[in-house]
Amino acid sequence: MKALRSFTVRPHLPEPVMGLDRLASNLRWSWDRATRDLFAMIDPTVWDVSHHDPRRVLAEVAPRRLQELAADGAFLERLASAEASLDAYEQLPRWFQQDTPDAALGEGVVAYFSPEFGIAEAVPQYSGGLGVLAGDHLKAASDLGVPLVAIGLFYRHGYFRQSLTVDGWQQERFPDLDPHAMALELCEGVRVELELAGESMQAQVWKAMVGRTELYLLDADLPENPESLQMVTDRLYGGDVEHRLRQEILLGIGGVRALDAMGVPVEVFHTNEGHAGFLGLERIRTLMEREALGFHEALEAVRAGAVFTTHTPVPAGIDRFPRELMERYFSNWVDACGISLDQLMALGHRPQEAPDEPFNMAVMGMRLAERRNGVSALHGDVSREMFSDLWPGVPGVETPVGSITNGVHGATWVAGEIDELLSSSVGSDWQWAPPEAWAAVEQIDDREFWQAHGAAKLRLVEHVRERMRSHGLAQGRSASELEWVDDALDPGALTICFARRMATYKRAALLLSQPDRLRALLLDDQRPLQFVFAGKAHPADDQGKELIRQIVAFSHDPAIRHRFVFVEDYDMALARSLVCGADVWLNTPVRPMEASGTSGMKAVLNGALHCSVLDGWWAECFEPAHNGDGANGWAISSAEAVEDDARRIEVEANSLFELLETQVVPQFHDLGPSGEPNGWIARAKRSLRTLGPFVSAHRMVRDYVEELYLPAARHSRQLDADGYAGARQLSHFRARLNEVWHQVHVDTVDVDDGIADLGSTRAVSAVVALGELSPDEVEVQLLTGHVGQSGELESPTRVAMADEGLIDDRHRRFRGAAELDTAGRMGVTVRIVPRHRLVDAPVEFGLVAWAD
């Protein structure tokens, strides 16, 4: 029977243990081992049943147990130590306070917007990699003392829980979540009001403390709202396109209003993927209203302090909204800004797109942020190609989209035993230790290393068996029928894990394309091998569900089911078990469709070896064997030149099986005199040494601070000063460029074309016309580089040419010197780009006049 009404009952804590409530209220417990151990001590059974949720432990433990602990001196001593640790963590200066310039962000903060945040399984507001990355970003920012707040939505049903039918078809259920029972605090008196297509909606705000970082979650489930609007925050990534639009309006526009209502002084706005992109529109409207700026002036001011991170390597993955929906939901915004609907639509359109084309959130993100990045070096290349048409005339390689490779929060994902080894070798600060400190990993004793990894692998086996048993019982199987689960997986066998979102491009079933070779590996009793799969498909993705069904069907064979398993309901708890216990982390995407991928990063930090197509982060981190050193993992061949999909799968599956059969399996089972696979351990140590400092979220956040946040803050201040004089000036300059740039051209270029000596220079002169622009408003650039087979300059160097003055009433001469520092076929060309003291990169204007 269903409850007629429900309410939350808070536990009563005896005075001596009141500190437990404070510890449970700060999500730092999700990565602080001492605090987690403290709550496990209260009642180990409740701790496990509650899925390691301190709030639930306090709510469900027997009151007499709390009274016992209130009189337990040893427990109270550990409680006091945990509280003192939290005090020091919150108050002591960190990296940002110690190593960044004074007033680097003024009195302001960075506001980080994301549709999902994966902090802990106890706060299920995430679906997969994007959310877990956002959670790791907040944790690392907290550790480093970066003044950052985060904005998201509170989904009353979170993301779905996964169960499988007997034949392996995914089914979803959406449990109700009670924010009062979670590590959340209601921001009393803070309400956000929005107008959604003529209807008024309010949202309340919940706050979570993630160490030192504040996370605010907007919640529309209020009785004051019409029922349809209460459902705006019902679930993550649910509903139709209009539902998605409403969510993104609340996240972006509502998020800005929430920060404003709470008086949070934001200096930099960081949009994590396009879902929150409407925040830029709210900032434009606010500046026009409060500062009397024109639309284009407000646009310049907004862009200066904005950072946009794209995670999508394919156009199909980007949110796009039809014109009729945009008109319905943004007609008031258009009126308030005094612009036309076509002008709004143009912000989300590529050049030459018709006004009635859908509004592209990633294009708007690119247009409303001056600093943009992909999430790996390869993804940066892909993003520059995807969005190059937004800067016409600019070569694709110079498209102003950079890259910062993702990272993972080590304390969240590393097993306790590996943590101890890293602390004793690299240092207690191993999460942010420099690369040279990681050389100490090579000195870890092989047996200690193998025993530490073995302990984590044993927990993986036990966790998987427990889940398989409980899920089997839930399907109606008898305990007798499930007895085989007691022997499923072998802690001594080579364990390969594949766990991630079940999207088709990730090709979870690539191994199944050659079932006979797979069976031969699984049935080899002399060299035991086992696979563990996990992952969820989007509820609307039947192709992803079919991948799961195929894997589950293969796993039902009694001959191999103890060595080939699919584990239901992938979440952060299961992910932690798998990345800690895996020997090999497998990744088989269609290159270059994996923007970054972070699950493998978590595994290599635990001493696993990565076996992947060279896509995402692995493309820049894989090191093949060289000068007697072994490789730090394995690279699966990518047959990108093969157009036939079936043939490409065959080629890449052959590469994977070749690696497994001739390298991975033999090396794991090649045991030394003392019983450890010393060659394998040497490769794992090399992996840790070379990858450990790079895959850290602390490295990632420092890169964001130094390369994006601080420059954005400085530029924002430049444009905001003196009543936004800089924004007004830059807006007027851009408008002027658009009017007169057609007058700018390179007329002639003179250069000797004979044979030159290496190391010499070659004089180049150019006659140019600047029209109404002055010489200090442009830069005439000389480009020098190798000439490729198609006649294109390859990786050219650029130098500014010197102005030698007018040669007639319309033309000026510029001179430069081409440095001939490499042998071979060299070439030069000349171009003109706009220049302004308030713009660091001239190509930002998207205007280039090339010599013919």
Side-chain angles (χ1 to χ4, degrees):
M1 70 186 74
K2 293 195 68 175
L4 180 63
R5 295 285 188 275
S6 65
F7 42 85
T8 302
V9 179
R10 294 188 180 277
H12 172 72
L13 298 178
E15 183 63 32
V17 293
M18 285 293 291
L20 289 172
D21 184 68
R22 180 188 171 210
L23 293 175
S25 299
N26 191 314
L27 288 164
R28 177 175 175 259
W29 60 257
S30 67
W31 73 89
D32 183 67
R33 206 170 306 280
T35 304
R36 291 170 64 85
D37 290 346
L38 183 72
F39 282 98
M41 285 177 60
I42 295 175
D43 189 318
T45 301
V46 174
W47 174 249
D48 287 337
V49 170
S50 71
H51 302 292
H52 302 168
D53 181 351
R55 282 283 195 192
R56 284 187 58 188
V57 170
L58 296 181
E60 296 177 16
V61 72
R64 67 175 180 277
R65 175 57 178 160
L66 294 174
Q67 293 290 348
E68 291 173 3
L69 294 172
D72 184 334
F75 182 85
L76 294 178
E77 186 176 331
R78 293 186 66 164
L79 172 57
S81 175
E83 286 194 89
S85 174
L86 179 58
D87 286 336
Y89 181 86
E90 291 178 332
Q91 297 167 13
L92 292 178
R94 316 291 289 188
W95 166 78
F96 187 87
Q97 289 73 34
Q98 295 170 345
D99 290 3
T100 56
D102 291 341
L105 285 171
E107 297 299 318
V109 301
V110 175
Y112 181 91
F113 284 66
S114 179
E116 52 176 302
F117 288 92
I119 310 296
E121 54 270 29
V123 188
Q125 300 293 302
Y126 63 94
S127 71
L130 179 70
V132 173
L133 168 75
D136 283 6
H137 194 108
L138 302 196
K139 294 171 186 177
S142 172
D143 290 343
L144 295 170
V146 178
L148 180 146
V149 300
I151 295 288
L153 301 180
F154 178 75
Y155 305 98
R156 287 285 170 153
H157 300 288
Y159 201 53
F160 70 87
R161 303 297 301 273
Q162 179 194 57
S163 60
L164 301 180
T165 62
V166 174
D167 60 356
W169 193 255
Q170 174 181 289
Q171 298 193 321
E172 303 88 26
R173 63 187 190 281
F174 293 86
D176 292 332
L177 300 177
D178 178 7
H180 296 283
M182 301 163 71
L184 299 173
E185 174 189 350
L186 184 64
C187 297
E188 296 288 353
V190 178
R191 287 288 179 95
V192 172
E193 293 189 16
L194 291 167
E195 185 267 333
L196 294 178
E199 290 188 287
S200 178
M201 183 184 76
Q202 294 189 48
Q204 60 188 354
V205 182
W206 299 94
K207 182 176 80 171
M209 289 305 303
V210 185
R212 299 160 68 115
T213 302
E214 296 171 343
L215 167 61
Y216 296 103
L217 303 174
L218 280 69
D219 175 13
D221 188 13
L222 294 170
E224 298 93 321
N225 289 327
E227 185 174 354
S228 62
L229 297 186
Q230 292 178 26
M231 301 298 288
V232 167
T233 52
D234 61 342
R235 61 183 61 171
L236 177 59
Y237 302 145
D240 58 15
V241 64
E242 184 170 8
H243 186 268
R244 177 70 70 93
L245 177 62
R246 288 176 164 186
Q247 286 189 333
E248 297 188 5
I249 290 172
L250 176 57
L251 175 59
I253 295 178
V256 172
R257 293 182 183 179
L259 292 171
D260 189 46
M262 293 182 291
V264 178
V266 180
E267 185 112 33
V268 175
F269 287 83
H270 182 180
T271 308
N272 187 38
E273 195 47 272
H275 308 285
F278 292 130
L279 71 86
L281 301 187
E282 174 64 7
R283 294 181 62 211
I284 288 171
R285 184 198 63 79
T286 302
L287 284 174
M288 294 180 69
E289 179 182 290
R290 296 178 183 176
E291 306 296 335
L293 296 180
F295 175 75
H296 294 289
E297 294 167 344
L299 178 60
E300 294 293 349
V302 164
R303 293 177 70 253
V307 173
F308 174 65
T309 298
T310 175
H311 294 260
T312 308
V314 290
I318 296 170
D319 283 343
R320 303 173 81 216
F321 298 112
R323 181 185 176 98
E324 56 269 25
L325 273 183
M326 292 296 294
E327 183 173 13
R328 192 186 316 162
Y329 281 86
F330 286 93
S331 58
N332 285 348
W333 183 89
V334 165
D335 292 342
C337 294
I339 65 171
S340 68
L341 181 64
D342 284 351
Q343 285 177 287
L344 167 61
M345 295 299 294
L347 291 176
H349 282 165
R350 296 178 180 275
Q352 313 309 320
E353 276 193 315
D356 59 350
E357 285 294 311
F359 188 90
N360 185 309
M361 295 297 287
V363 168
M364 179 179 67
M366 294 282 169
R367 292 194 187 280
L368 297 188
E370 192 174 83
R371 286 167 176 80
R372 321 158 190 89
N373 69 286
V375 290
S376 68
L378 178 59
H379 183 233
D381 294 338
V382 171
S383 298
R384 283 186 286 278
E385 182 177 347
M386 278 181 64
F387 296 104
S388 62
D389 61 338
L390 300 185
W391 290 268
V394 176
V397 294
E398 293 185 64
T399 299
V401 180
S403 66
I404 291 179
T405 304
N406 286 342
V408 299
H409 188 252
T412 297
W413 298 106
V414 169
E417 296 85 356
I418 297 295
D419 182 18
E420 291 179 7
L421 287 183
L422 293 176
S423 296
S424 62
S425 57
V426 179
S428 58
D429 61 348
W430 59 266
Q431 287 194 91
W432 49 85
E436 56 269 20
W438 285 78
V441 166
E442 301 282 6
Q443 306 307 315
I444 297 174
D445 179 75
D446 280 5
R447 175 164 292 185
E448 286 185 50
F449 183 92
W450 201 235
Q451 288 176 342
H453 178 65
K457 187 154 77 166
L458 178 59
R459 285 196 297 273
L460 179 158
V461 169
E462 292 172 343
H463 189 179
V464 170
R465 287 175 179 172
E466 178 186 340
R467 287 218 179 191
M468 292 175 65
R469 191 178 295 107
S470 63
H471 294 152
L473 292 172
Q475 288 177 338
R477 300 180 187 274
S478 69
S480 298
E481 188 182 359
L482 293 170
E483 283 186 1
W484 70 271
V485 173
D486 295 339
D487 297 319
L489 304 185
D490 175 1
L494 169 59
T495 303
I496 300 178
C497 294
F498 182 106
R500 52 184 45 82
R501 183 166 55 91
M502 286 288 164
T504 51
Y505 79 87
K506 294 177 183 285
R507 298 189 302 187
L510 183 64
L511 284 164
L512 302 186
S513 67
Q514 300 190 22
D516 292 340
R517 292 177 81 174
L518 179 55
R519 285 179 188 277
L521 288 169
L522 292 169
L523 296 174
D524 185 348
D525 290 330
Q526 300 303 309
R527 301 187 301 184
L529 165 67
Q530 57 201 15
F531 290 90
V532 181
F533 287 81
K536 296 176 178 178
H538 187 280
D541 182 7
D542 284 348
Q543 289 182 308
K545 292 180 182 181
E546 172 59 19
L547 288 176
I548 295 173
R549 191 203 63 76
Q550 291 175 18
I551 294 167
V552 171
F554 188 84
S555 73
H556 282 170
D557 182 347
I560 54 94
R561 65 184 179 183
H562 59 296
R563 289 188 178 176
F564 190 95
V565 302
F566 184 93
V567 191
E568 293 180 37
D569 206 21
Y570 187 46
D571 61 6
M572 289 183 70
L574 178 58
R576 192 175 297 109
S577 287
L578 298 184
V579 300
C580 288
D583 293 312
V584 173
W585 198 262
L586 181 62
N587 192 26
T588 54
V590 176
R591 176 186 160 102
M593 295 181 68
E594 184 82 279
S596 179
T598 54
S599 56
M601 292 178 166
K602 303 175 183 99
V604 299
L605 271 183
N606 281 285
L609 287 166
H610 203 229
C611 180
S612 174
V613 171
L614 289 176
D615 201 4
W617 72 276
W618 192 232
E620 66 198 272
C621 289
F622 170 67
E623 291 185 1
H626 181 67
N627 290 337
D629 288 331
N632 61 358
W634 292 277
I636 303 168
S637 297
S638 176
E640 293 167 78
V642 177
E643 296 183 2
D644 180 77
D645 288 343
R647 176 58 180 155
R648 179 171 183 175
I649 288 173
E650 180 184 6
V651 170
E652 297 185 11
N654 280 337
S655 173
L656 171 56
F657 276 105
E658 180 76 12
L659 287 172
L660 294 175
E661 293 161 350
T662 65
Q663 296 187 44
V664 179
V665 174
Q667 188 170 50
F668 181 87
H669 289 288
D670 182 14
L671 305 182
S674 58
E676 289 90 30
N678 302 107
W680 182 278
I681 294 172
R683 189 186 288 250
K685 288 181 184 178
R686 178 171 176 79
S687 169
L688 256 182
R689 175 170 65 82
T690 58
L691 301 175
F694 183 78
V695 302
S696 166
H698 294 83
R699 184 273 311 154
M700 173 187 73
V701 170
R702 287 175 67 158
D703 287 350
Y704 272 104
V705 169
E706 294 169 350
E707 298 176 25
L708 300 178
Y709 294 164
L710 296 185
R714 286 192 292 267
H715 195 207
S716 181
R717 281 194 220 112
Q718 278 185 302
L719 268 59
D720 295 356
D722 300 325
Y724 293 86
R728 299 177 197 272
Q729 183 185 63
L730 190 53
S731 172
H732 297 160
F733 180 69
R734 195 184 295 269
R736 183 160 164 262
L737 283 177
N738 291 334
E739 290 178 2
V740 305
W741 188 255
H742 67 280
Q743 303 170 357
V744 176
H745 48 88
V746 180
D747 286 350
T748 62
V749 176
D750 292 321
V751 58
D752 292 339
D753 57 1
I755 296 175
D757 293 328
L758 180 65
S760 65
T761 61
R762 182 64 49 96
V764 181
S765 69
V767 175
V768 307
L770 301 182
E772 297 177 40
L773 295 178
S774 64
D776 60 356
E777 292 177 311
V778 301
E779 183 170 280
V780 180
Q781 297 177 337
L782 170 62
L783 286 74
T784 307
H786 273 286
V787 178
Q789 292 183 351
S790 63
E792 294 291 316
L793 290 182
E794 298 177 343
S795 303
T797 59
R798 295 184 299 276
V799 296
M801 301 179 74
D803 179 19
E804 294 196 334
L806 286 167
I807 58 175
D808 57 38
D809 59 351
R810 292 194 311 114
H811 296 91
R812 308 183 73 90
R813 187 183 304 279
F814 284 77
R815 287 194 184 274
E819 300 284 345
L820 307 180
D821 53 4
T822 57
R825 186 69 176 167
M826 299 290 289
V828 299
T829 191
V830 173
R831 70 183 186 184
I832 309 171
V833 294
R835 179 173 61 182
H836 194 282
R837 66 177 184 84
L838 293 175
V839 174
D840 294 334
V843 294
E844 188 67 42
F845 292 107
L847 300 171
V848 183
W850 291 91
D852 293 329

